[in-house]
Amino acid sequence: FAQIAQPSTEIKANYLLTTLDLGLNKQRNHPAPIHFNFAFAEPLYPTTTTVDYRDYLQSLKNWQIATHPFTQIIHRDSSRLPLDESLTNKKVLIIAGKMASIKQAKAVVQFAKQNNMPLFADIQSSQRGATNAFNYYDLLLINETFKNQLQQADVIIQFGEQLVSKRLMTFMNTFHGELYLVKKGDERIDPNHQLDKRFDCNATDWIDAQTISATSSCHNWHKTLQQSDEQLSKQVIAPFLALQPL
């Protein structure tokens, strides 16, 4: 069952599609009827006013010409789980949320490190202190230059539960690339209604299925982001800590 919000341009057009996709996925996992309850405001009959919704529907332009759901939900037993090297030569940002086990969390950290991908560890993640994690990404997201550099990413891959950082969620809402979620189960973890792919499997299963080769441009992009993190640490964090009483 899902209560569909009353139609409004204040709600993303994607909302209805992601809700339908999630409902159909739940039906696949637990065969049963699907109940969607739609609420409509009066008047229920046509008016003489014509509204142009083309700008509102811009977020659906790719879906309108595609042959797959807005959010593709890919299962562990599916032959589509390997990405057919689609991450090769792409700039990828890894986001680690809270995960089911330390083993899976460490696997995500190692995956990011091996493939030279920037890693943002959510405050709920057990890997917040990982050596290759960006310690100050939440502060860096205030900076327009850093956000513009981050927008160069082709793909964001989120592992695990819902994220805490409002700044990170706001950035993801404006992100122009593809957004993937790797999380086993059918719990809704897509507050911005923008997921391109959801992999219904554990992090370790997904990682084991990947074959990736990064290029020098990806390495240089990662290095530029790292320099911003290090600069913030030296110019802001370290001086601040030095002034604090022991």
Side-chain angles (χ1 to χ4, degrees):
F1 171 83
Q3 175 65 51
I4 305 301
Q6 183 174 302
S8 168
T9 53
E10 297 299 315
I11 300 173
K12 277 188 172 183
N14 315 8
Y15 160 75
L16 182 59
L17 294 180
T18 58
T19 302
L20 291 171
D21 292 338
L22 186 64
L24 290 170
N25 181 59
K26 286 185 176 181
Q27 187 183 55
R28 171 178 173 167
N29 295 336
H30 312 284
I34 303 176
H35 179 189
F36 292 114
N37 191 39
F38 290 83
F40 295 96
E42 295 182 344
L44 300 177
Y45 46 85
T47 65
T48 56
T49 304
T50 301
V51 181
D52 187 348
Y53 289 108
R54 284 178 292 185
D55 289 341
Y56 173 69
L57 296 173
Q58 274 298 301
S59 62
L60 305 183
K61 63 181 181 180
N62 291 333
W63 171 78
Q64 290 174 324
I65 60 174
T67 57
H68 54 71
F70 185 87
T71 298
Q72 298 179 70
I73 301 177
I74 302 169
H75 294 262
R76 175 66 186 89
D77 58 354
S78 171
S79 60
R80 294 180 298 165
L81 178 59
L83 289 176
D84 298 326
E85 300 184 1
S86 65
L87 295 182
T88 293
N89 300 332
K90 289 190 176 181
K91 297 172 183 174
V92 181
L93 170 64
I94 301 295
I95 299 178
K98 182 180 178 181
M99 278 175 270
S101 70
I102 296 292
K103 178 184 177 182
Q104 290 190 51
K106 288 184 175 180
V108 171
V109 171
Q110 188 62 22
F111 174 75
K113 187 174 183 178
Q114 286 180 343
N115 293 286
N116 200 31
M117 297 172 177
L119 170 67
F120 291 1
D122 185 70
I123 194 171
Q124 295 183 107
S125 170
S126 61
Q127 302 304 302
R128 180 78 172 165
T131 56
N132 58 317
F134 280 60
N135 295 319
Y136 310 114
Y137 72 82
D138 201 65
L139 289 174
L140 285 167
L141 285 169
I142 300 173
N143 184 274
E144 289 299 323
T145 300
F146 182 80
K147 286 193 289 186
N148 289 335
Q149 292 169 344
L150 209 55
Q151 280 286 4
Q152 295 176 25
D154 298 299
V155 183
I156 292 178
I157 306 176
Q158 177 185 337
F159 291 85
E161 304 287 349
Q162 201 78 266
L163 304 175
V164 171
S165 171
K166 291 183 178 180
R167 288 196 189 107
L168 182 54
M169 292 302 301
T170 299
F171 170 79
M172 292 170 69
N173 190 36
T174 62
F175 180 59
H176 305 311
E178 291 187 283
L179 180 61
Y180 299 167
L181 172 69
V182 180
K183 171 74 169 67
K184 188 172 180 62
D186 51 21
E187 176 188 359
R188 184 162 199 160
I189 305 176
D190 185 18
N192 295 325
H193 311 294
Q194 64 184 122
L195 277 181
D196 293 284
K197 293 182 181 179
R198 173 167 181 163
F199 295 90
D200 186 4
C201 61
N202 293 323
T204 49
D205 292 333
W206 186 89
I207 289 170
D208 289 343
Q210 308 311 309
T211 303
I212 302 171
S213 177
T215 62
S216 58
S217 63
C218 298
H219 293 311
N220 293 338
W221 172 69
H222 185 191
K223 186 176 180 179
T224 300
L225 296 175
Q226 282 181 317
Q227 288 172 344
S228 297
D229 192 58
E230 292 167 1
Q231 185 178 8
L232 178 66
S233 176
K234 291 177 181 178
Q235 296 183 2
V236 179
I237 304 301
F240 173 78
L241 293 177
L243 294 173
Q244 303 309 305
L246 295 176

